[in-house]
Each structure stands twice: as structure tokens, then as C-alpha cells.
């Protein structure tokens, strides 16, 4: 089995979108510049969502046009609808992501649409992207639990993931949005989806609310997943779960992967330095234990 794991760095988008204080456009561009020098192959740059809903990312066009897009690195952006797709394409975006949930309640609360309505909304985006030669990634959130309805049926996770894949998403990221998953549940969920879709088309996205993210990732690696979403410095809290610590830190994921003999192509000290830089810009200590340990040596 291939021992290379591709890290999808979501810090510039998912990590920053919930920051209460505005993050300067120049700092977002600098963050992506530093990340681009670490060996990462995929860096999610921003989201072309309505500024009314996510003010922190109102500068999406400025960020995307301001970054130096280096060869061999993909810089996808999130788009919620055709308007977002139009804005992304206007600045030359070559890969987009669409997002929905496995929880009907979560989806209606956060997008004002049911799951099937969201999927219908994506259909013209996928059709246009195919015609434009644009890659599309799909996100499925709340795959292991919902802050509103609690348990989420695995059958719904499978249904939504399969629908996105059938529509043309080349990769489906399975997200434990509030970080309630444990390794056995994560493994079972992944295998259920993999029974319908190729494992090579799946990624995992864990939040670390209860300290289970690395254990969940390891369990999924054992089942064959080879794409992991994470955010440098553990940036990004979950607004729907009190005390949620947000995304698992990229530095901690890379340290674990290297420790179990997996390859990432990532310069861990450089990644950790970027995490400490970001934490300083945000006025806090890095959320990565690995980052703190390396700083102390």
C-alpha cells in the first residue's frame, strides 16, 4: 500500500473564517506564501462565500490574486453557489470545493437549504466546472455527529458522499465538524463510504474537540485513506460546540505520519515555524504541541 499521505492544508480558509478579529489581507497572503515553501501540495486559499455571512473572507479575490501560485501546488477555494463560482473564475481559480452536510438539521441551519436542495444547487456548478476544466472537491460535514440532532446515520453519509462523487467531485472530504468521533466510529464510517466509492477518492477531516483527531486519523490510515485535511497551528474553532478546539494541527499530523513511516514531502520544522508565526499574528500560542516542542529544542 502506498505510504504517501497528501495533506490538504485548510488553515487559510477553514482556520481563519471564524476569527472574531479581522485578519489583514497581507497576513493571509503571507501565510499562504510560507505554507507554499513547506512542501505542501494542496493549500485551500479562501472562500468565495457572501461577505455578509463570512466577513473574515470578504477579501477572497484580493487574497487569491495576491498570492504567488507555485508550480506543483493546488490552491483550491470554497464556493457555495454559482455566484461564488463566478467570482472565483473571474480571478483565475482552477479548483473549487462545494460543501454540504450529512445532517439535514445542520444543513438547513447553516445554509438555509436541505441536503437535496444543496446538491441541486451544486449541479450547475459541476456542469460548468467540467466544461471549464476546473477540478471540484466535495465536503460532507457532520459525518460523526451533529450539534443539533446528535447522531447522524451512516447511511446518510454514504448517500451524500456518493451523490457528490456521482456529480463529478474527484475527491470527497468526510468531516467530523464538531470533533465528537472516536476511532471505532471513524473507521466504521469510512469503510461504509468506501464500500460505495473508491478509497482513493476519499479524504478525512477531523476536529480535535475531545482530543481524538490523531487517533481517528490513524484508524482511517489503517483502512487505506491517504488524504488528510488539517490546519496549521490548529487554527479554526467550531462555533457550534462549546470548548471545541477546532481543526487538528497540521504539524501534529505530519509529526505522527513521519513517526509511523508515512511520507508527506513536508518540511516539518518549516511548517511548525509557519504555525508559530500565524499564532503570533493572531495573538495566541500555537495550537500545535509539535510546534511548541520544536520551538523549545
Amino acid at each position: 500500500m502506498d505510504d504517501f499521505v497528501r495533506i490538504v492544508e485548510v488553515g487559510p480558509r477553514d482556520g481563519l473564517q471564524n476569527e472574531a478579529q479581522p485578519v489583514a489581507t497581507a497576513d493571509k497572503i503571507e501565510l499562504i506564501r510560507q505554507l507554499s515553501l513547506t512542501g505542501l501540495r494542496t493549500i485551500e486559499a479562501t472562500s468565495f462565500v457572501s461577505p455578509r455571512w463570512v466577513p473574515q473572507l470578504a477579501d477572497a479575490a484580493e487574497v487569491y490574486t495576491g498570492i504567488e501560485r507555485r508550480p506543483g501546488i493546488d490552491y483550491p477555494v470554497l464556493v457555495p453557489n454559482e455566484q461564488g463560482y463566478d467570482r472565483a473564475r473571474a480571478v483565475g481559480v482552477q479548483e473549487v470545493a462545494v460543501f454540504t452536510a450529512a445532517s439535514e438539521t445542520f444543513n438547513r441551519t447553516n445554509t438555509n437549504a436541505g441536503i437535496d436542495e444543496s446538491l441541486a444547487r451544486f449541479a450547475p456548478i459541476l456542469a460548468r466546472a467540467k466544461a471549464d476544466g476546473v477540478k471540484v472537491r466535495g465536503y460532507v460535514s457532520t459525518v460523526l455527529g451533529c450539534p443539533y440532532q446528535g447522531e447522524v446515520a451512516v447511511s446518510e453519509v454514504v448517500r451524500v458522499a456518493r451523490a457528490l462523487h456521482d456529480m463529478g467531485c474527484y475527491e470527497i472530504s468526510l468531516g467530523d465538524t464538531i470533533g465528537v468521533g472516536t476511532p471505532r466510529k471513524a473507521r466504521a464510517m469510512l469503510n461504509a463510504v468506501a464500500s460505495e466509492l473508491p478509497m482513493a477518492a476519499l479524504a478525512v477531516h477531523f476536529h480535535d474537540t475531545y482530543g481524538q483527531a490523531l487517533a481517528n486519523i490513524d484508524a482511517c490510515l489503517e483502512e487505506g485513506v491517504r488524504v488528510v485535511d488539517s490546519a496549521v497551528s490548529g487554527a479554526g474553532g467550531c462555533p457550534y460546540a462549546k470548548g471545541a478546539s477546532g481543526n487538528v494541527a497540521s504539524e501534529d499530523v505530519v509529526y505522527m505520519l513521519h513517526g509511523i513511516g508515512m511520507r508527506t514531502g513536508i518540511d516539518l520544522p518549516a511548517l511548525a515555524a509557519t504555525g508559530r508565526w500565524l499564532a503570533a499574528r493572531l495573538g495566541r500560542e500555537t495550537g500545535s504541541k509539535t510546534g511548541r516542542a520544536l520551538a523549545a529544542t
Side-chain angles (χ1 to χ4, degrees):
M1 185 176 290
D2 187 8
D3 64 354
F4 180 82
V5 177
R6 178 167 60 88
I7 301 295
V8 175
E9 173 57 54
V10 300
R13 193 275 302 174
D14 196 18
L16 297 182
Q17 66 181 6
N18 291 319
E19 285 293 318
Q21 297 301 315
V23 179
T25 300
D27 285 341
K28 296 173 184 175
I29 292 170
E30 174 61 15
L31 171 61
I32 295 170
R33 185 194 72 80
Q34 291 191 32
L35 290 170
S36 297
L37 299 175
T38 65
L40 285 160
R41 298 187 182 184
T42 308
I43 302 169
E44 192 173 59
T46 186
S47 172
F48 285 81
V49 68
S50 169
R52 182 172 59 151
W53 297 113
V54 187
Q56 186 65 259
L57 302 181
D59 58 356
E62 291 80 5
V63 169
Y64 195 83
T65 56
I67 62 177
E68 177 187 355
R69 294 184 289 282
R70 298 174 65 88
I73 305 176
D74 293 322
Y75 297 91
V77 304
L78 208 66
V79 296
N81 48 39
E82 283 196 89
Q83 290 78 16
Y85 182 80
D86 289 339
R87 292 173 56 210
R89 288 293 291 153
V91 294
V93 168
Q94 291 297 313
E95 180 176 341
V96 301
V98 295
F99 61 96
T100 188
S103 159
E104 183 77 10
T105 309
F106 185 94
N107 214 58
R108 287 194 176 279
T109 301
N110 292 282
T111 69
N112 198 33
I115 294 172
D116 291 337
E117 292 174 83
S118 292
L119 293 173
R121 184 184 298 164
F122 299 152
I125 297 175
L126 269 293
R128 292 177 60 187
K130 183 177 181 181
D132 294 341
V134 171
K135 295 167 61 179
V136 185
R137 191 179 200 240
Y139 281 98
V140 183
S141 61
T142 63
V143 299
L144 291 171
C146 170
Y148 307 114
Q149 72 180 54
E151 291 290 324
V152 173
V154 173
S155 59
E156 273 299 279
V157 180
V158 174
R159 181 181 78 86
V160 176
R162 185 177 58 228
L164 288 171
H165 189 257
D166 288 348
M167 291 169 67
C169 291
Y170 78 94
E171 188 169 273
I172 310 298
S173 174
L174 303 167
D176 181 14
T177 310
I178 57 172
V180 294
T182 52
R184 183 174 295 179
K185 288 184 177 180
R187 190 191 303 266
M189 179 275 299
L190 175 67
N191 282 332
V193 179
S195 70
E196 302 258 351
L197 302 180
M199 186 68 79
L202 302 179
V204 291
H205 182 127
F206 290 107
H207 283 228
D208 205 30
T209 311
Y210 293 93
Q212 299 295 296
L214 290 177
N216 292 341
I217 290 168
D218 190 42
C220 292
L221 290 168
E222 290 179 352
E223 298 306 310
V225 81
R226 289 295 181 268
V227 185
V228 177
D229 296 0
S230 59
V232 66
S233 190
C238 178
Y240 314 112
K242 185 177 180 180
S245 56
N247 291 291
V248 65
S250 299
E251 305 94 309
D252 296 342
V253 174
V254 172
Y255 180 82
M256 181 189 77
L257 291 171
H258 291 178
I260 61 176
M262 294 289 188
R263 297 179 299 111
T264 66
I266 293 171
D267 180 338
L268 180 56
L271 184 64
T274 299
R276 292 192 296 272
W277 175 87
L278 175 61
R281 300 303 292 176
L282 297 178
R284 63 175 70 111
E285 185 180 28
T286 177
S288 162
K289 293 183 174 64
T290 300
R292 294 196 293 272
L294 289 175
T297 58

